[in-house]
Amino acid sequence: SQTIHQWPATLVQPVGSPLSLECTVEGTSNPNLYWYRQAAGRGLQLLFYSVGIGQISSEVPQNLSASRPQDRQFILSSKKLLLSDSGFYLCAWSGISLDTQYFGPGTRLTVL
Amino acid sequence: KNEVEQSPQNLTAQEGEFITINCSYSVGISALHWLQQHPGGGIVSLFMLSSGKKKHGRLIATINIQEKHSSLHITASHPRDSAVYICALTGNQFYFGTGTSLTVIP
């Protein structure tokens, strides 16, 4: 069966510090991978998606970046965090078509 | 105007009540999803619909493509149903509603 992992589960970082959130998927090959952010009281916002290794599409301009160094690994990064980067970050995967997405447990990021 | 509108935003029900959450959308879609987000933040996909109706246990989801409307029904609601329910669309891109926060009181 397929599983999706995210870490860390929670993170408190000062403004201006770097960020690296990791997401890995097990039990499937060549998944579509997604990073979402959910700010307090707001809906899910798609940040990045990837259809393959090294292929990243950005949905919104921001100070975040994503990388996919391996087929089942998706990393969300920032060189300098902003206060507005606080939120709940979710990684998800789906099959080749835009079908059901399966979400990871999420990382709650607080930038102080 | 948001592409996806959910109603109500918040809902409190007594255990055993029949619950309906609505989702209206304004874009062309290939599928509509109902997601459940637990208090800890984890999200589970409940249904993916492109037409008609689906049932899983006490949950029923319907979609009317012509009217661009979907409903999620919960029969015999239980406190463990308390969660945020999110309507999501897949078309040219993904669209997400802001969710309906459901609290079921024992």
Side-chain angles (χ1 to χ4, degrees):
Chain A
S1 64
Q2 301 89 359
T3 54
I4 179 168
H5 304 278
Q6 282 186 250
W7 62 88
T10 60
L11 191 58
V12 180
Q13 291 283 93
V15 168
S17 63
L19 173 74
S20 181
L21 302 181
E22 188 164 344
C23 171
T24 58
V25 181
E26 296 176 358
T28 186
S29 296
N30 196 30
N32 288 345
L33 295 172
Y34 311 86
W35 276 113
Y36 293 92
R37 176 171 58 202
Q38 186 178 40
R42 301 183 67 179
L44 288 167
Q45 179 188 36
L46 180 62
L47 301 175
F48 300 96
Y49 70 92
S50 170
V51 299
I53 295 174
Q55 300 178 63
I56 310 294
S57 297
S58 174
E59 290 295 302
V60 291
Q62 60 226 319
N63 70 319
L64 300 171
S65 62
S67 62
R68 184 169 177 174
Q70 299 180 47
D71 181 45
R72 288 170 287 180
Q73 184 185 30
F74 205 22
I75 298 172
L76 183 69
S77 304
S78 174
K79 292 182 179 177
K80 287 186 179 182
L81 284 168
L82 306 172
L83 286 174
S84 57
D85 291 324
S86 293
F88 190 59
Y89 289 82
L90 285 153
C91 179
W93 75 272
S94 74
I96 295 172
S97 59
L98 293 180
D99 58 7
T100 301
Q101 292 191 20
Y102 301 93
F103 288 84
T107 295
R108 195 165 300 281
L109 171 66
T110 303
V111 182
L112 301 175
Chain B
K1 183 182 185 300
N2 294 330
E3 292 84 357
V4 188
E5 299 277 357
Q6 282 187 240
S7 63
Q9 283 190 311
N10 297 284
L11 182 57
T12 300
Q14 288 292 133
E15 183 173 357
E17 284 185 12
F18 181 83
I19 289 163
T20 296
I21 299 171
N22 296 299
C23 175
S24 297
Y25 55 94
S26 59
V27 295
I29 66 170
S30 57
L32 182 145
H33 309 256
W34 281 103
L35 311 174
Q36 180 191 53
Q37 185 169 28
H38 297 287
I43 293 180
V44 173
S45 178
L46 299 175
F47 295 103
M48 183 178 73
L49 293 163
S50 53
S51 65
K53 175 180 173 179
K54 286 191 176 179
K55 184 176 188 294
H56 184 249
R58 295 180 294 106
L59 302 177
I60 302 167
T62 63
I63 187 169
N64 185 317
I65 297 294
Q66 286 72 32
E67 295 184 3
K68 295 189 174 180
H69 181 268
S70 175
S71 293
L72 176 68
H73 305 285
I74 305 175
T75 61
S77 60
H78 190 275
R80 64 174 174 267
D81 297 326
S82 299
V84 175
Y85 292 84
I86 301 169
C87 175
L89 313 175
T90 52
N92 293 328
Q93 62 184 80
F94 291 98
Y95 303 93
F96 292 86
T98 54
T100 295
S101 180
L102 171 65
T103 302
V104 181
I105 300 170

